[in-house]
Amino acid sequence: MAAGPLLALLLLAEPVAAKDTTPRTDTSCVSCHGQIDAEMVGALANDVHFQKGLSCHDCHGGNPASGIDDPALAHDKKKGWTGKPSRLQVPGLCARCHADAAFMKRFNPHLRVDQLSEYRTSVHGKKNAEGDPRPAICVDCHGVHGIRAVSDPRSSVYPTNLAPTCARCHASADVMKPYNLATNQYESYRTSVHAKALHDKGDLSAPTCNDCHGSHGAVPPGVGAVANVCGSCHGREATLFRETEAKKKMDLSLCIQCMVCHDNHAVQPPKPEMLGVGPQSTCTGCHSPGDPEYQMAADMANAAATLRERLATAKDTLDRAERAGMEVSADRFALQEGQNKLVEVRVLTHSFDRERFLAAAGEGTAVADGGIAAGRRAFRELRNRRLGLGVSLLVILAVITGLYLKLRQIEKA
Amino acid sequence: MSEGGRADAGPGLRGWLEERTGVSLILDLAHKKTVPLHRHTIWYYLGGMTLFLFTIQVATGILLLLYYRSSSDEAFESIQFIMTKVPFGWLIRSIHSWSANLLVFVLFVHMFSVFFLKAYRRPRELTWVTGALLLFVMLAFGFSGYLLPWNTLAFFATQVGTEVAGSVPGMGRFMLRFLRGGEHVTGGTLTRFYGIHVAVLPALTTALLLLHLLLVQRHGMSRPPGQNEGRTMPFVPNFLLRDCIGWCVALGLLAALAALFPWELGTKADPFAPAPAGIRPEWYFGWMFQTLKLLPGHVLGIEGELIGIFAFGVGGLLFVLAPFLDRSQEKRRVSLGFTVAGAIVIAYMAVMTVLVYLPGKP
Amino acid sequence: MSRRKFLDWFLGTSVGAMCASVLYPIFRYLVPPDVPEAQTNRAVAAREGDLKPNESKVFPFGSQPAILIRGADGTYHAFSATCTHLNCTVQYRGDLRQIWCACHNGFYDLAGANVSGPPPRPLEQFTVHVTEGEIVVSKS
């Protein structure tokens, strides 16, 4: 009898102490289905609906009264029994509660109630409405009988688990073939700096699929919306980019914007070589030698390279001075401002404004030059020490000579 | 002049001092003191050189402790402060570090020269014993002082060193807890080592050094075996002037080392970081460290390391008691056996020390 | 001058010079420097009157940047200026009365709490004392 321990397990489910929110373990559903499909019923212990007091009949209908042994009586159509809903019926079934604001307020006033209407704007939702049972429905992402709250780190849609959940379909050639969709997005994303931040470093502020594509209204951002989407975190870069449109009187809504230089899924940390006219540059994809923009890219890249070089020289000089025992911590701190300027310069790339870029790079280079000068000062001080040493050695030599001569004088006598 | 004092203490300041302190007694002894002249006279300078270097240590040490902080939060930073912000702090600190190493080196040469010249023979056995104990005290100075900058190398070297002390059967656990101020090397260890370095060991040194120098003056300079008579040199001024030349050379050497090869500070110790590769104690402990590394894991059922520690213990005891073990004076024969033993020990220590620094499997 | 006298003079003068070259560094060493101790736990960030209300200043604290803010009501606040997200240096926005990190638009309030954007933790807060016209910042 698997029901016994299963009941015990269900009783151990974390109950929310409210009058009508204790888990229902006494239903006829649980006592029969616990024996037929122990795994499914066992999963209910983790289900947030079950923990809040909802039970099988709240979704499937039927007569839950305990003690009923006869399936026909339990599966009573007059009591609303619907059996297993079809994939086309599921969104509407969930929305029966989740789109009802008054109902949801009883459980969690913070929850949104527009998921179904968002879903219907998505490709998944549109196709589902048209009668295609294959695209994702609620239970594909959230689970069906062991649904955890989204904020639960064990939930299949918690940020660190979301991408693999999407990849279950979107990385499968079989599932995507009828729709002619690529299946490399998860693989690409996994190599990105965002994935590394989220999955490897645990930075929950890093984006995963739903941060750019939306959760229920999942749709790739429209071509004109890419800068807005990236800009929801990378605000400065997006603002500068938008300013370019106005300043240069361009309509950038028809181009893929951020994705021209940075990928969409496999976003890597930007390399200095991306700016300029070298082999790995992203500028030369559109601009050819002779364009004014080509020259501007070259100038900007040179200014940035000079800044990086001088900062490296300054840091190296100060390191060597410090190894030689000189005081450089205040100079090192001043050099930090140069590092800040370098970050600012890299952001200003998105302004595509040569004067502004060169000005910031110039300020940074000035700081770096200050650091180099400080390092040279430290080495001058070191030379002074050696000079001092030389003088004192001469004095000691004089003393030794005097002592020696005195000794000779005494011993000759 | 008051009655009851010396009848004629002399005029002026000298006379005034003489009447009150009787200092002319010491001056007389100094003027009478002679040093034997023979082909091994040069080794006589080493005792004074060791004393000179120790004086440098005391002076620079006192200067350093005016700015040093002995808590794990501040020790490293306080030395950084001394090296960078205090005028000539770099000089005082580097001289202290270099002189410590020079002191240990000269001390070993002094000890070996005394050994090979058999200066420990009767009646100078106690001079040798106090000298041997002084050597242990100087090594303790080195070990305790090494931790004070609280940098990574020092932290882990101390951990290894106290671990070895802890593996002595019986009192090992107690010794480890006593040295570390607890189970692990912590800020408590640092405070304890500082107290040992600036108070306990100097007190011990004062007592032992006073005894050692008094005994040296009492017995005069020993002559090598077989030379019972010979030419001498007055201590004042001939030997002393030569001593001064040697001390000036040492001073110049220290100044050059401090200015041209300043002593590194390293990185601040992080007790929670894993030990970096290549942890080594100071060079003068290297030969013991290398010996323990080379011993096999187990010998006849006993842990190899324990055998090594036991051997060092026995060796140390034999070292202190050497004068009582050398029966040659009774037999009026120069003990070749002891000379050979000494040569083997030097060779062993030298080879082991070099091995520590050779690249390859540690 | 006889050779003996010259030698005595030479020896005396050179010994004197050597003593001077030993005593000079020792004397300089004993005179305390301007800053009497390492600034790891305590630093003078500014003088009274350097900052007007609603202004800020980034200053070195140990080897890390720290920020001193004079609020609109005149009180001083001090925090570590290293953003807890990806270590950019933060700045004070007088218009918003909040601390802002330009790299990814993170915001902290004047208690150091991370209130918006990616920063996962508040800024480390330091204690501020005003003594003898100096604004002294120390680790809490």
Side-chain angles (χ1 to χ4, degrees):
Chain A
M1 298 306 233
L6 254 154
L7 275 174
L9 206 66
L10 291 175
L11 280 167
L12 286 171
E14 306 104 78
V16 176
K19 226 166 50 177
D20 55 359
T21 56
T22 42
R24 299 279 310 270
T25 52
D26 54 344
T27 58
S28 58
C29 327
V30 166
S31 54
C32 282
H33 284 277
Q35 297 172 45
I36 305 170
D37 188 346
E39 203 184 310
M40 175 185 81
V41 174
L44 284 174
N46 299 324
D47 193 300
V48 62
H49 301 106
F50 186 78
Q51 287 161 13
K52 302 261 183 190
L54 293 159
S55 187
C56 318
H57 62 282
D58 291 301
C59 293
H60 293 284
N63 186 348
S66 57
I68 297 183
D69 265 334
D70 182 3
L73 283 176
H75 298 170
D76 192 347
K77 284 225 171 67
K78 283 202 282 294
K79 298 260 181 170
W81 185 66
T82 51
K84 180 172 169 173
S86 77
R87 287 180 64 84
L88 299 178
Q89 292 171 319
V90 162
L93 173 62
C94 301
R96 233 182 42 205
C97 295
H98 280 278
D100 183 345
F103 183 79
M104 292 310 295
K105 238 207 289 274
R106 283 170 47 196
F107 296 94
N108 188 345
H110 283 134
L111 283 182
R112 298 175 59 156
V113 289
D114 58 353
Q115 294 92 339
L116 180 62
S117 54
E118 274 198 321
Y119 177 68
R120 290 292 177 218
T121 67
S122 71
V123 177
H124 301 141
K126 284 193 189 139
K127 291 226 172 283
N128 180 282
E130 286 164 14
D132 185 348
R134 289 168 299 180
I137 52 174
C138 318
V139 301
D140 289 324
C141 298
H142 289 276
V144 49
H145 293 115
I147 304 176
R148 292 188 189 269
V150 176
S151 55
D152 185 332
R154 297 165 291 185
S155 159
S156 51
V157 296
Y158 186 73
T160 47
N161 301 325
L162 187 80
T165 302
C166 302
R168 262 194 265 139
C169 294
H170 281 276
S172 159
D174 291 332
V175 177
M176 291 294 114
K177 187 138 153 293
Y179 303 99
N180 246 338
L181 287 174
T183 51
N184 62 346
Q185 299 92 334
Y186 178 65
E187 205 186 311
S188 299
Y189 169 73
R190 213 48 192 87
T191 66
S192 73
V193 63
H194 295 138
K196 294 211 175 91
L198 176 60
H199 293 272
D200 300 342
K201 292 202 222 149
D203 181 356
L204 291 178
S205 68
T208 181
C209 311
N210 66 328
D211 292 297
C212 297
H213 292 281
S215 305
H216 301 107
V219 138
V223 153
V226 169
N228 288 336
V229 169
C230 302
S232 59
C233 292
H234 295 274
R236 289 197 70 205
E237 287 82 350
T239 310
L240 289 168
F241 192 80
R242 287 260 165 272
E243 284 172 6
T244 310
E245 274 186 304
K247 273 199 293 218
K248 302 198 194 226
K249 303 204 183 7
M250 297 161 73
D251 180 5
L252 292 172
S253 59
L254 294 174
C255 83
I256 53 173
Q257 304 162 0
C258 311
M259 284 166 56
V260 174
C261 300
H262 307 280
D263 198 68
N264 54 351
H265 296 120
V267 180
Q268 299 302 317
K271 291 194 300 237
E273 293 76 34
M274 285 163 66
L275 174 67
V277 297
Q280 295 184 53
S281 146
T282 50
C283 310
T284 50
C286 299
H287 299 287
S288 342
D291 292 353
E293 293 82 8
Y294 185 88
Q295 187 55 45
M296 180 170 88
D299 292 342
M300 283 162 70
N302 284 338
T306 306
L307 174 56
R308 273 196 309 278
E309 228 176 81
R310 295 272 180 87
L311 280 175
T313 308
K315 182 169 186 306
D316 180 64
T317 314
L318 290 178
D319 280 345
R320 282 187 296 122
E322 189 169 64
R323 272 200 298 276
M326 307 308 298
E327 141 74 323
V328 292
S329 58
D331 304 310
R332 245 196 235 292
F333 183 80
L335 199 61
Q336 182 66 21
E337 180 55 30
Q339 274 300 125
N340 289 345
K341 277 290 163 197
L342 182 60
V343 172
E344 187 180 327
V345 154
R346 291 171 66 172
V347 170
L348 280 176
T349 310
H350 303 88
S351 69
F352 305 105
D353 181 337
R354 175 224 238 104
E355 269 60 48
R356 208 164 154 191
F357 187 95
L358 258 48
E363 284 169 29
T365 310
V367 171
D369 286 340
I372 296 177
R376 296 223 179 100
R377 265 200 311 275
F379 277 106
R380 264 204 303 280
E381 161 70 17
L382 191 65
R383 251 205 337 267
N384 288 346
R385 283 191 195 175
R386 299 204 174 162
L387 226 68
L389 170 69
V391 168
S392 44
L393 284 182
L394 279 173
V395 171
I396 291 180
L397 199 61
V399 172
I400 292 176
T401 313
L403 286 172
Y404 175 72
L405 290 173
K406 187 77 188 168
L407 204 54
R408 253 193 10 181
Q409 188 188 76
I410 290 178
E411 295 191 333
K412 260 204 281 193
Chain B
M1 226 176 295
S2 68
E3 294 186 11
R6 273 164 57 101
D8 179 12
L13 183 59
R14 229 196 218 157
W16 188 92
L17 266 177
E18 174 54 33
E19 196 182 348
R20 285 150 186 79
T21 65
V23 73
S24 69
L25 186 67
I26 301 178
L27 289 177
D28 271 347
L29 283 170
H31 280 283
K32 285 210 198 85
K33 182 175 161 83
T34 60
V35 174
L37 259 186
H38 49 76
R39 94 193 140 101
H40 294 299
T41 300
I42 191 157
W43 301 104
Y44 289 141
Y45 293 105
L46 289 174
M49 181 62 82
T50 313
L51 185 60
F52 175 73
L53 290 173
F54 182 71
T55 313
I56 299 267
Q57 286 307 91
V58 172
T60 52
I62 290 176
L63 289 172
L64 284 174
L65 68 74
L66 292 178
Y67 289 104
Y68 174 75
R69 301 267 174 93
S70 63
S71 91
S72 57
D73 278 339
E74 298 185 272
F76 184 85
E77 285 81 0
S78 68
I79 297 200
Q80 214 168 34
F81 182 71
I82 291 172
M83 296 283 284
T84 54
K85 288 265 185 340
V86 178
F88 293 103
W90 58 271
L91 183 66
I92 306 291
R93 194 248 169 168
S94 276
I95 286 188
H96 193 79
S97 302
W98 272 113
S99 177
N101 285 272
L102 240 57
L103 170 60
V104 172
F105 179 72
V106 171
L107 178 55
F108 269 99
V109 181
H110 172 57
M111 181 271 284
F112 276 119
S113 69
V114 166
F115 182 84
F116 287 119
L117 289 173
K118 312 262 186 277
Y120 52 75
R121 289 166 299 153
R122 178 177 161 216
R124 294 182 176 82
E125 298 97 328
L126 288 182
T127 320
W128 171 269
V129 170
T130 50
L133 293 177
L134 273 170
L135 186 132
F136 293 146
V137 168
M138 291 301 137
L139 291 179
F141 263 119
F143 186 67
S144 55
Y146 195 50
L147 181 65
L148 298 184
W150 198 249
N151 56 23
T152 312
L153 279 176
F155 178 84
F156 289 106
T158 305
Q159 208 166 53
V160 170
T162 47
E163 199 68 53
V164 169
S167 53
V168 169
M171 6 178 331
R173 277 261 46 92
F174 170 77
M175 280 211 305
L176 182 138
R177 286 188 51 111
F178 176 78
L179 284 174
R180 286 184 178 178
E183 284 301 322
H184 304 284
V185 176
T186 59
T189 318
L190 179 60
T191 310
R192 189 166 279 240
F193 272 34
Y194 182 63
I196 290 173
H197 190 81
V198 308
V200 175
L201 292 175
L204 277 174
T205 308
T206 308
L208 286 170
L209 194 56
L210 212 58
L211 260 176
H212 191 77
L213 291 174
L214 276 173
L215 287 171
V216 168
Q217 303 320 313
R218 163 110 179 72
H219 297 295
M221 307 303 288
S222 107
R223 282 181 171 276
Q227 274 202 37
N228 296 327
E229 298 278 321
R231 290 160 50 232
T232 63
M233 183 204 303
F235 180 70
V236 173
N238 307 58
F239 191 82
L240 196 55
L241 278 179
R242 287 183 167 82
D243 245 343
C244 286
I245 292 179
W247 296 345
C248 286
V249 171
L251 194 62
L253 180 66
L254 281 173
L257 287 169
L260 299 173
F261 303 102
W263 203 263
E264 275 208 343
L265 186 51
T267 53
K268 183 168 177 167
D270 179 0
F272 302 111
I279 296 289
R280 289 196 288 256
E282 277 286 77
W283 64 269
Y284 39 87
F285 293 119
W287 63 280
M288 290 195 278
F289 179 67
Q290 187 67 18
T291 306
L292 290 177
K293 275 204 308 205
L294 288 179
L295 282 171
H298 280 84
V299 180
L300 300 176
I302 314 174
E303 240 185 78
E305 200 178 74
L306 279 181
I307 295 192
I309 295 174
F310 182 70
F312 289 137
V314 168
L317 199 61
L318 292 176
F319 166 65
V320 174
L321 298 177
F324 307 103
L325 301 169
D326 184 351
R327 297 262 168 249
S328 62
Q329 51 255 39
E330 266 106 52
K331 298 185 184 149
R332 288 166 183 277
R333 210 173 8 96
V334 175
S335 166
L336 189 61
F338 262 68
T339 311
V340 169
I344 292 178
V345 167
I346 290 189
Y348 180 77
M349 287 169 71
V351 168
M352 284 292 129
T353 309
V354 167
L355 278 182
V356 174
Y357 294 95
L358 281 186
K361 209 152 71 87
Chain C
M1 195 194 283
S2 74
R3 267 188 74 178
R4 167 175 238 116
K5 273 226 176 88
F6 172 75
L7 190 51
D8 285 345
W9 170 87
F10 179 73
L11 191 54
T13 313
S14 54
V15 167
M18 191 172 87
C19 288
S21 72
V22 166
L23 289 174
Y24 172 71
I26 292 181
F27 178 72
R28 289 283 313 275
Y29 178 92
L30 289 171
V31 174
D34 290 331
V35 176
E37 54 183 356
Q39 303 268 277
T40 42
N41 295 332
R42 205 174 164 271
V44 175
R47 298 204 60 82
E48 252 186 305
D50 280 350
L51 288 179
K52 291 200 273 295
N54 218 24
E55 277 188 355
S56 71
K57 174 183 180 189
V58 173
F59 63 96
F61 192 29
S63 52
Q64 298 301 317
I67 185 168
L68 174 71
I69 301 169
R70 190 167 186 197
D73 61 351
T75 52
Y76 290 98
H77 311 264
F79 305 94
S80 159
T82 306
C83 182
T84 54
H85 180 224
L86 291 176
N87 297 335
C88 293
T89 306
V90 302
Q91 48 191 288
Y92 178 64
R93 291 276 299 266
D95 53 340
L96 301 172
R97 310 270 168 104
Q98 287 187 331
I99 302 169
W100 178 55
C101 181
C103 286
H104 298 97
N105 232 22
F107 286 91
Y108 304 83
D109 62 16
L110 281 178
N114 44 323
V115 293
S116 155
R121 289 179 306 278
L123 290 173
E124 188 186 350
Q125 184 158 28
F126 302 135
T127 319
V128 183
H129 291 289
V130 182
T131 49
E132 289 169 13
E134 288 182 332
I135 320 283
V136 178
V137 173
S138 54
K139 284 226 165 103
S140 310

